[in-house]
Amino acid sequence: MDAMEKIVSLCKRRGFIFPSSEIYGGLNGAWDYGPLGVELKRNLKQAWWDDMVAHHDETATPQGAPQPFGMVGLDSALLMNPKVWEASGHVGGFSDPMVDDRETRARYRADQLAVYALEFIGSDGKLERYDEVLFAAPGELGKSAPAELFEPHRKRIASLQKSKPGKEARPVAVPGALQDEALRARVLAPGASAPGTLTAPRAFNLMFKTHVGALEDNSSVTYLRPETAQGIFVNFKNVTDTARVRVPFGIGQIGKAFRNEINPRNFTFRSREFEQMEIEFFCRPAEAAQWYQYWRERRYRWYLDLGMKQANLHLREHESSELAHYAAGCADVEYDFPFGRSELEGIANRTDFDLRQHSQMSGKDLRFFDDQEPNEDARRFLPHVIEPSAGADRGTLAFLCDAYSEDEVGGEARTVLKLHPRLAPIKAAVFPLVKKDGMPEKALEIYRALKKRWNVYYDEKAAIGRRYRRQDEAGTPFCITVDGDTLSAGSVTVRERDSCQQVRIGVAELASYLGEWLGA
Ligand code: GAP
């Protein structure tokens, strides 16, 4: 099993993540969070909400920020007036180029189907190009490993190889092959019996359409939101009119988003239904560049503060050619997943694009009025926006991958999730050493007392070693064991998950001891 397969298997086995509606064969791109998974994801969202919105200290100037700022929250509806999506550009432009295979009926994102010719290299270093047939394989052009490319065409390439003894085949990228009619006719798609079965790329809108009300005609069309951000922009005026906020300030929102992805893949990484944690931060245009710097650093640091390994986490500034036409800057927080380095979160300087679009489309003046600004000319203005946009499912997956670890304890292999205590689904487990001598009763008493404060778990089944292993796999930071000394001397053993070290603590001190590690 490779690393990703092991994580998927642990998630299924221990009840973190299941395929959606599995008993009916599942639904591609949709996932359900089981008893442990729902706690982990809720803890991640709670940490984001606490750190970014609720407990943000409005009076302190955060390190690196140009000045103090306020943060408020929002929970907007999933269904919105369809004009929102016209103004935002999603109706016209939220699409991926897609190609269909007429023979196999498979559908690909054109930018994720790479096309290669072959080059045969002899021992004398001479090259011979073969491009009578071009080979298409899933992956980004130039990034697929030869093995991945050759896999769907293994037999065909092996027979070509036979006709050129002593020469080794290697792939050569053919950019633009799917767009060029003549080249496309020579492309052999994965699983197709002959070349020329792929259609030309065409735009495929990723928004899920639905109808509001009983009539299913054009007048009732709306969309499941593809991002939470627009719910914030359309409420900008409501919030500034009611929440006594002054620019600079931010609005945070956590919620579901839906995208009809052409190829959902890599477990929950690219799903059709997922959750976002987004901030729209409104500031004066002249300060936008500074705030952009502030937020890219702040968001990067947040993952580290929750225990993510720095070696796996990267902040990548986009090239200007990658930027949307309205954006003045964009950086991705990227994580080294087992399937490769990929985006966890994007931080973008969106200028005044969204508020301007919604002002024009709705006819409402969305400029901010700063009544404390001494310069009369500068009182009314359209704020610029910095948008840190994170995925709760991608974040959950990244923390699972980062925490997954295998080691050996007492000569026995163990699997352990080294999750930060804030994220751990279960904070502590309480065990009676044996099921007699009053130990279960005492353990249940301790369990009930701790349960008032934390999500703790009681287990009296199986040998103590097996109970430890179960909690290691669930990522539980502490296991508390009630033994003979508990009854005679009033103390328990507390075993720490990562080091497996045990300390003896008085029952009376237990809550304050755990509190130091687990917080409130
Ligand atoms: N409002 C900006 C916006 O939505 P995005 O880069 O399209 O930007 C932001 O999405 C984040 O949402 C991504 O970094 C990712 O974490 C998450 N996300 C986007 N599409 C996703 C998908 N299909 N499955 C899971 N998460 C996704």
Side-chain angles (χ1 to χ4, degrees), residues 18 105 267 347 411:
F18 309 123
R105 308 186 74 83
F267 201 23
I347 300 106

Side-chain angles (χ1 to χ4, degrees), residues 186-208:
R186 282 163 33 205
V187 172
L188 182 66
S193 55
T197 57
L198 291 175
T199 62
R202 59 201 155 96
F204 172 73
N205 197 300
L206 299 180
M207 284 199 295
F208 280 100

Side-chain angles (χ1 to χ4, degrees), residues 34 68 70 74 91 103 111 117 126 133 166 174 178 253 268 276 281 321 332 385 394 417 419 421 473 482 486 507:
L74 185 80
V91 170
E103 183 188 336
D111 56 347
K126 271 198 186 153
V133 174
V174 184
L178 295 174
Q253 165 154 245
T268 58
Q276 290 188 312
F281 188 80
S321 59
D332 283 347
V385 169
R394 270 191 205 175
L417 284 184
L419 290 165
E473 280 197 340
V482 167
T486 313
V507 173

Side-chain angles (χ1 to χ4, degrees), residues 29-85:
W31 299 93
D32 296 343
Y33 287 76
L36 289 179
V38 67
E39 295 289 344
L40 172 61
K41 189 169 155 193
R42 277 173 68 100
N43 290 343
L44 183 75
K45 290 187 287 179
Q46 193 65 48
W48 184 92
W49 191 264
D50 285 349
D51 297 345
M52 296 298 127
V53 182
H55 300 303
H56 170 81
D57 182 356
E58 298 184 18
T59 59
T61 302
Q63 203 188 5
Q67 57 195 273
F69 61 91
M71 291 292 297
V72 293
L74 185 80
D75 186 7
S76 67
L78 273 165
L79 297 174
M80 290 193 262
N81 188 307
K83 288 201 176 109
V84 171
W85 305 110

Side-chain angles (χ1 to χ4, degrees), residues 320-354:
S320 51
S321 59
E322 290 177 84
L323 293 178
H325 65 93
Y326 51 80
C330 187
D332 283 347
V333 179
E334 296 181 332
Y335 181 75
D336 289 329
F337 288 96
F339 46 81
R341 185 172 296 180
S342 302
E343 176 189 330
L344 254 191
E345 165 162 0
I347 300 106
N349 178 346
R350 298 181 65 94
T351 65
D352 61 3
F353 175 76
D354 306 270

Side-chain angles (χ1 to χ4, degrees), residues 269-398:
F269 178 83
R270 191 175 302 288
S271 311
R272 290 189 167 128
E273 175 179 343
F274 54 96
E275 264 182 293
Q276 290 188 312
M277 309 185 289
E278 296 199 286
I279 295 169
E280 305 303 328
F281 188 80
F282 302 93
C283 61
R284 283 193 174 269
E287 292 174 352
Q290 254 180 306
W291 283 113
Y292 170 62
Q293 289 305 326
Y294 168 75
W295 278 107
R296 62 200 281 295
E297 304 304 326
R298 179 73 193 90
R299 291 301 307 147
Y300 177 76
R301 210 171 62 235
W302 185 74
Y303 293 96
L304 299 180
D305 290 347
L306 283 172
M308 197 170 270
K309 296 182 196 86
Q310 188 153 14
N312 294 337
L313 197 66
H314 312 274
L315 190 57
R316 184 181 72 82
E317 192 67 38
H318 282 208
E319 303 287 334
S320 51
S321 59
E322 290 177 84
L323 293 178
H325 65 93
Y326 51 80
C330 187
D332 283 347
V333 179
E334 296 181 332
Y335 181 75
D336 289 329
F337 288 96
F339 46 81
R341 185 172 296 180
S342 302
E343 176 189 330
L344 254 191
E345 165 162 0
I347 300 106
N349 178 346
R350 298 181 65 94
T351 65
D352 61 3
F353 175 76
D354 306 270
L355 288 182
R356 188 172 293 283
Q357 287 291 106
H358 287 302
S359 285
Q360 280 167 5
M361 188 83 171
S362 67
K364 302 281 183 312
D365 184 357
L366 298 183
R367 285 177 302 166
F368 180 73
F369 181 69
D370 187 351
D371 56 2
Q372 289 171 43
E373 167 61 48
N375 175 358
E376 206 171 317
D377 294 339
R379 272 189 203 152
R380 208 177 270 286
F381 63 96
L382 208 52
H384 277 208
V385 169
I386 310 301
E387 178 193 68
S389 173
D393 305 84
R394 270 191 205 175
T396 302
L397 182 60

